[in-house]
Amino acid sequence: MTTPSPTADTGAELLPIATPARTRAALRTLIRPDRGLALTGIGILVAATAVGLLVQPLLGRIVDIVADGRPAGDLTLPVVLLVAVAVVQGLTTTLGLTRIARLGETVLARLRERFVERALNLPADRLERAGAGDLTARVTGDVARVAEAVRSALPEMARSVLAILLTLGALALLDVRFLLAALLAVPVQLLTARWYVRRALTLYADQRVANGAQQQQLLETIGGAVTVRGHRLEEQHTERSAGRSRKAVDLTMRSVNLVLGFYGRLHIAEYIGLAAVLIAGFWLVRDGAVSIGTATAAALYFHSLFGPVNAALVLLDDAQSAAAGLARLVGVTDLAEQPEPEAGKPAAGKAAPASVPRQRIASPEAAVTVHAVSHAYGPGRPVLHEVSLTLEPGEHVALVGTSGAGKSTLARIVAGVQQPTSGTVTAPAGTGEHPVVLVTQEVHVFTGTLAEDLRLARPDATDADLRTALATVHALDWAEALPDGLATVVGEGGHRLDPARAQQLALARLVLADPALAVLDEATAEAGSAGARVLERSAEAALDGRTALVVAHRLTQAVAADRVVVLEAGRVVESGPHDELRDADGPYAALWRAWSGSRTAAPHP
């Protein structure tokens, strides 16, 4: 179960945060495959801690030998045993902590994989509503905080808890009255822990949200720097960034004050406990109930608790911070599993969800069938209204309409990237790994060689396959002219590809993936007028022989299509060949006249 995440003052609808119960359940699920490793590691740590508890009785034995005035030779055995205890404890502790650390790293890797997998499957509109800052904060800050806890806090916490329990047991073996005296510190420690936990979880969650809002503001300001400067909005954006930074700093200072108060209360508990044990030892020695060595061992036992008790309670700080981060990560992994509510009827207490199931079946009658599909980006924000559409096998359909008509939303739904609020989509199952491929105007060139970038679509592709795909989209000449040909490093820090070449690279990946259905969402829009003709030829070649849905940025793409579908306000208002719609004097004809009239040489079939 997840709860809606607080909405940042950016106005974004942040991704949800898992409840504590759901977070614990998710953690158990992540650990379950490695239960053997966990039990072995804990067992070894128990043995190491138990061996370490022999130190205090041996030191007490040395005190008794000295107090009784025995020969110096009697000290040999206790000293040798102390050395042996140190060696054995060191070896077993190292082995136990290594296994616990391995468990933590394994669980962390599993969590990261699940987070990335689910984040990639989230609906695009859900991510857009949350904003890039929220997801960035989770995938960086929250993951780093959980990783830090796993690598340092988890092993130390395990060892500290075991040391506390076994040391209290050892005090009881010396004399139960020592245990009772030591337990006088417990109420103060429990009250301190309760006081801290009740404040820390909310504070750290707010801190993570504030950091996400801060990152979102910075991303928007930097990403829109040209617009900000063009409208002289530098001062306003600087003030917004400063305001969100001040909020993040304020929450950080509140957490610092919380920790200082936490430590102060712990020192009071230590004083109470140690004083009680020393007084109890004085009375017991005076009455002859125990020896001076035993009283010394009891005092040393309690003093040895300072480290693990403080470590456990201090690690509570890391645990609370990590728990807040883990809840935010689990909130994302759960989001993709939740069913989509009906439009305008969000589930109570839950964030907007992921999806209804898509049917992926091969049909001899149609490559794609969209039946009564509706979609809304939230209550009162409908985009599509019961759209029905059929694409025959091998048919190229151009989707046209004014801005905001719902073209990109329908394209994403057909591609399976965006899930509909209601209705069904039957898509081809295909014979390959990628039955449907979507290419948009926003193309990412991955860092690596050009060959590696292309093989993302088909890892087993040979160099000959890569050259064939590039040749298909008319990109082989410039690819081979790069400094190192297919071995040229592209992407961030590498050879820069202009928008037209980056789009050709995306189309070459489509050819390599060889999907049964290709969806192009304004895939030639980023090239500008100069590269538009080249990209249109590349897209036409990439789509040859396969079913295609093309969101047409330029109506020349509609001319070349087998059929044109016109969307208006989220509804299909016309459908037919270009010539027929152009002569029908309907919405498409108006679009055609407006588009062709703005060009000195309007294309004509």
Side-chain angles (χ1 to χ4, degrees):
M1 180 180 180
T2 58
T3 58
S5 180
T7 301
D9 55 6
T10 59
E13 181 186 334
L14 302 185
L15 296 167
I17 299 173
T19 62
R22 174 59 197 140
T23 302
R24 291 192 294 270
L27 189 58
R28 288 193 295 270
T29 301
L30 290 169
I31 294 176
R32 189 173 296 122
D34 297 291
R35 284 175 295 183
L37 182 61
L39 293 175
T40 303
I42 292 174
I44 295 173
L45 283 180
V46 169
T49 305
V51 170
L53 292 177
L54 296 175
V55 170
Q56 288 82 356
L58 288 172
L59 291 174
R61 179 64 176 168
I62 291 173
V63 170
D64 282 338
I65 291 173
V66 174
D68 294 343
R70 298 178 191 177
D74 290 353
L75 296 173
T76 302
L77 180 60
V79 171
V80 170
L81 290 176
L82 281 173
V83 174
V85 166
V87 172
V88 173
Q89 185 186 27
L91 292 175
T92 51
T93 299
T94 299
L95 180 59
L97 290 179
T98 299
R99 297 187 73 84
I100 293 296
R102 183 180 301 170
L103 169 68
E105 290 294 340
T106 302
V107 171
L108 179 61
R110 192 174 292 127
L111 174 64
R112 280 173 167 164
E113 292 169 359
R114 187 170 298 182
F115 177 85
V116 171
E117 177 187 355
R118 298 291 167 76
L120 290 175
N121 287 324
L122 286 177
D125 66 293
R126 187 64 186 88
L127 292 177
E128 290 170 0
R129 292 201 305 272
D134 186 34
L135 189 62
T136 301
R138 296 187 192 221
V139 81
T140 54
D142 292 326
V143 169
R145 191 60 61 92
V146 174
E148 181 182 354
V150 164
R151 289 168 185 154
S152 58
L154 177 62
E156 187 62 30
M157 176 69 84
R159 188 173 66 168
S160 298
V161 170
L162 289 174
I164 293 168
L165 295 177
L166 294 178
T167 300
L168 292 176
L171 277 171
L173 289 177
L174 292 179
D175 192 296
V176 70
R177 285 168 286 189
F178 285 126
L179 174 62
L180 295 176
L183 291 179
L184 291 177
V186 172
V188 179
Q189 292 167 335
L190 291 179
L191 288 173
T192 298
R194 182 184 179 190
W195 172 84
Y196 176 77
V197 169
R198 292 177 64 180
R199 289 161 176 77
L201 189 58
T202 302
L203 179 58
Y204 284 125
D206 291 344
Q207 194 174 2
R208 299 264 69 79
V209 171
N211 288 339
Q214 181 188 31
Q215 290 193 35
Q216 177 69 25
Q217 181 61 47
L218 291 174
L219 287 171
E220 289 180 351
T221 300
I222 294 171
V226 174
T227 302
V228 170
R229 287 194 297 267
H231 290 274
R232 310 300 298 170
L233 299 174
E234 296 93 332
E235 184 175 345
Q236 292 93 322
H237 276 257
T238 299
E239 180 56 34
R240 288 177 189 172
S241 298
R244 290 181 182 122
S245 296
R246 284 193 295 270
K247 183 174 182 180
V249 170
D250 178 64
L251 289 169
T252 300
M253 294 307 300
R254 285 173 56 190
S255 69
V256 169
N257 291 329
L258 183 66
V259 170
L260 291 176
F262 178 68
Y263 278 117
R265 286 166 171 79
L266 288 185
H267 293 328
I268 295 174
E270 291 172 358
Y271 173 79
I272 292 173
L274 183 58
V277 170
L278 289 173
I279 293 171
F282 172 76
W283 284 340
L284 292 173
V285 170
R286 187 189 63 179
D287 295 341
V290 299
S291 68
I292 295 177
T294 301
T296 301
L300 290 173
Y301 269 137
F302 187 82
H303 187 271
S304 71
L305 283 175
F306 286 8
V309 167
N310 286 347
L313 293 178
V314 167
L315 289 173
L316 199 57
D317 179 63
D318 292 336
Q320 291 301 311
S321 182
L326 182 61
R328 284 162 57 82
L329 297 178
V330 173
V332 173
T333 63
D334 282 355
L335 183 61
E337 297 177 334
Q338 299 169 3
E340 181 87 22
E342 295 181 12
K345 298 181 180 180
K350 295 188 178 181
S355 64
V356 291
R358 266 177 75 82
Q359 302 177 44
R360 292 189 179 278
I361 59 174
S363 171
E365 299 178 354
V368 180
T369 300
V370 178
H371 177 68
V373 163
S374 296
H375 188 71
Y377 289 121
R381 297 173 58 195
V383 177
L384 298 176
H385 304 273
E386 296 192 352
V387 173
S388 294
L389 175 67
T390 299
L391 278 72
E392 300 296 337
E395 185 182 22
H396 291 186
V397 173
L399 203 57
V400 302
T402 57
S403 179
K407 305 185 298 297
S408 292
T409 299
L410 181 58
R412 290 200 297 263
I413 288 174
V414 171
V417 174
Q418 178 69 56
Q419 302 300 332
T421 302
S422 63
T424 59
V425 177
T426 303
T431 57
E433 184 181 353
H434 309 284
V436 182
V437 169
L438 169 69
V439 179
T440 69
Q441 61 180 317
E442 298 175 356
V443 176
H444 181 72
V445 179
F446 294 88
T447 301
T449 67
L450 183 64
E452 290 171 341
D453 197 300
L454 289 166
R455 285 195 176 97
L456 290 171
R458 202 173 94 202
D460 61 346
T462 65
D463 285 352
D465 294 330
L466 302 185
R467 288 187 173 86
T468 299
L470 289 168
T472 300
V473 298
H474 312 293
L476 184 58
D477 289 343
W478 66 255
E480 291 187 329
L482 293 175
D484 297 311
L486 296 181
T488 301
V489 175
V490 295
E492 186 175 354
H495 186 88
R496 180 179 175 83
L497 299 181
D498 62 40
R501 290 183 174 182
Q503 196 64 260
Q504 284 181 308
L505 181 60
L507 292 171
R509 288 199 293 252
L510 183 149
V511 173
L512 287 167
D514 194 23
L517 169 65
V519 179
L520 270 58
D521 184 5
E522 298 190 348
T524 64
E526 290 295 314
S529 299
R533 291 299 184 98
V534 173
L535 273 187
E536 286 176 9
R537 288 177 54 237
S538 298
E540 185 177 352
L543 299 179
D544 186 42
R546 68 183 92 254
T547 307
L549 178 66
V550 179
V551 176
H553 176 68
R554 294 175 174 83
L555 290 190
T556 49
Q557 296 169 293
V559 175
D562 299 316
R563 182 158 51 101
V564 178
V565 172
V566 183
L567 276 184
E568 198 171 272
R571 292 181 171 84
V572 175
V573 294
E574 277 189 312
S575 178
H578 163 77
D579 289 341
E580 179 181 313
L581 296 184
R582 185 195 59 193
D583 297 336
D585 201 25
Y588 180 76
L591 287 173
W592 176 258
R593 286 193 299 269
W595 184 82
S596 60
S598 65
R599 284 152 175 76
T600 56
H604 196 279

